[in-house]
Amino acid sequence: MSAAAHAARRAWTEPGRERDLAVQALKAALAAWVAWAVAGWWLQAPVAFVAPWVAVVLVESTVYRSVAHGLQQLAAIAAGTVAATAVGLVLHSTVAAMAVVLPLAMLLGQWRRLGSQGICAATGALFVLTNGAVSVATSAARLGEALFGAAVGITVNALIRPPLYLRDTEAVLRDATEEAHDILTDVADGLAADRWDAEEAGGWHDRALRLHRQVEQARSAVEWSRESLRGNLRRRRTGAVQPLPGRNYDDALVVLDYAAVHTAGVTRTVLEAAAEDRAAPRPHSELARRYAQFLCQTARALRLYSHSRFADTCEDELREAVAALRDTLAELRRDLVRSTTDDPDEVATYGALLAQAHRLAGQLLASGT
């Protein structure tokens, strides 16, 4: 009850997901009401329930999806209706007709061109066979009402506050970048202080694994933003709407992908080195501090890169950060060469960290120059 009240309050007071969901629910109800008022109350159509049924399910999360799913649904309903009508007229037995038509309709529903609407072929066939005597006139009326319901659902979704998802896209990308920055900074602080705590390292690694899910959420947000603008009249009416997410978003996603994968690699190596049952020594404190400096520079470069892709003027700072990152990476390589340790496990640990450093910095070096 508390969560529901909080969601209702947010929907009423501020833009956000809750308000979007509430608006779409009201629009779906309106579409069903209009379809029934016309088909059932005014025209007294023989199978009027089809119109509101189709209308309510086509008030989709984007206008493009309403149109695409509408075409798929109409094709599936038409196929199931025609097949059921033809077989029903020949066999004159509902049980026998269902035995013949339903397997074919279910197979047709798997056709990838019908997408998620393929099941409507079977439901269309069932409506024909289980709703009284089969006739061409009734089936034609059913198809007409499905077409009318689709038109109502798509029109309501397209004309009444068509959904847009631009508001959160940049915020999700920035949040993922900030989380990557914070993870790298925390690991750097731990290494600089020569803290090799297994529990703390486990926390860093868990956060790095969750970062990958955040990047996937950011990718999904970009895709939703693009889809929500396709065929959206609100985009043309509202001058404040952002342009279609373009190359900057794609570049940021690529960099975040690299950051997520290789941050997980860094934290995994640190976790293995910090394990209490590990017999081999860890990299000595000077090498760890130098690596911590690299992680701090990488975190700063990531944040500057994100800002530079979303209108903040920090290109010069980004170039300077990338140049410093390149110098530190070269110094890390020389440190490994100069290392006098005879312990192969210590060299292996530092070598693994160095390999992740190269991979982590690689996309930033390529993108920030």
Side-chain angles (χ1 to χ4, degrees):
M1 292 289 289
S2 175
H6 179 68
R9 186 167 56 252
R10 282 177 58 88
W12 181 262
T13 58
E14 62 186 41
R17 181 174 180 274
E18 291 83 0
R19 180 175 293 181
D20 291 338
L21 290 174
V23 169
Q24 289 300 102
L26 291 173
K27 285 165 58 179
L30 174 63
W33 182 85
V34 169
W36 175 256
V38 174
W41 176 72
W42 183 31
L43 297 178
Q44 297 290 312
V47 279
F49 73 91
V50 175
W53 171 60
V54 174
V56 75
V57 298
L58 287 185
V59 180
E60 292 268 11
S61 49
T62 67
V63 175
Y64 170 79
R65 193 159 294 200
S66 286
V67 175
H69 285 181
L71 293 174
Q72 290 174 329
Q73 188 175 113
L74 288 173
I77 291 173
T81 300
V82 170
T85 302
V87 174
L89 290 174
V90 171
L91 296 182
H92 302 291
S93 168
T94 299
V95 175
M98 288 178 66
V100 173
V101 172
L102 288 182
L104 296 176
M106 292 301 296
L107 286 174
L108 178 63
Q110 303 304 312
W111 189 27
R112 66 178 181 83
R113 288 189 180 275
L114 295 179
S116 61
Q117 306 304 307
I119 190 62
C120 292
T123 55
L126 282 172
F127 285 156
V128 170
L129 297 174
T130 60
N131 195 37
V134 177
S135 71
V136 173
T138 303
S139 295
R142 185 176 284 107
L143 292 177
E145 287 149 24
L147 180 61
F148 174 70
V152 171
I154 292 170
T155 301
V156 167
N157 203 30
L159 296 183
I160 301 177
R161 199 177 181 272
L164 282 170
Y165 299 95
L166 293 174
R167 175 176 54 251
D168 299 327
T169 304
E170 186 175 321
V172 172
L173 285 166
R174 285 184 181 272
D175 287 347
T177 305
E178 285 301 311
E179 178 62 9
H181 171 276
D182 293 345
I183 294 170
L184 292 172
T185 301
D186 289 347
V187 175
D189 291 344
L191 294 180
D194 204 25
R195 287 200 315 270
W196 294 89
D197 182 84
E199 184 176 349
E200 187 178 27
W204 295 335
H205 188 54
D206 288 342
R207 289 171 61 193
L209 295 177
R210 289 195 297 270
L211 176 61
H212 182 71
R213 291 195 289 272
Q214 278 189 270
V215 175
E216 289 305 308
Q217 290 171 0
R219 176 173 285 103
S220 177
V222 170
E223 291 171 354
W224 273 102
S225 295
R226 286 178 171 146
E227 185 178 301
S228 72
L229 287 171
R230 298 177 69 176
N232 196 318
L233 299 177
R234 188 172 161 203
R235 178 188 181 191
R236 301 183 181 92
R237 292 198 302 260
T238 309
V241 173
Q242 302 175 31
L244 189 70
R247 184 173 177 80
N248 285 348
Y249 288 82
D250 293 331
D251 291 346
L253 284 172
V254 170
V255 171
L256 280 172
D257 257 336
Y258 273 79
V261 170
H262 300 306
T263 297
V266 170
T267 55
R268 183 184 300 109
T269 303
V270 172
L271 175 60
E272 291 171 353
E276 295 178 359
D277 57 351
R278 181 182 172 90
R282 295 141 186 164
H284 61 77
S285 57
E286 183 58 35
L287 289 177
R289 280 194 293 271
R290 187 71 63 121
Y291 197 81
Q293 180 188 358
F294 161 79
L295 291 181
C296 283
Q297 290 176 331
T298 302
R300 181 170 181 271
L302 262 176
R303 175 180 280 173
L304 290 172
Y305 176 84
S306 174
H307 291 177
S308 73
R309 288 298 175 267
F310 303 117
D312 291 352
T313 54
C314 57
E315 291 289 346
D316 293 338
E317 290 180 79
L318 176 61
R319 279 192 288 270
E320 291 173 4
V322 168
L325 189 62
R326 184 182 291 109
D327 293 341
T328 302
L329 195 57
E331 188 65 28
L332 284 173
R333 193 182 302 115
R334 288 193 292 271
D335 283 345
L336 182 58
V337 173
R338 290 197 299 261
S339 176
T340 57
T341 180
D342 294 327
D343 192 318
D345 288 330
E346 183 179 346
V347 174
T349 299
Y350 191 69
L353 290 172
L354 183 60
Q356 294 298 343
H358 276 283
R359 294 167 184 153
L360 185 58
Q363 194 65 29
L364 275 172
L365 294 176
S367 303
T369 53

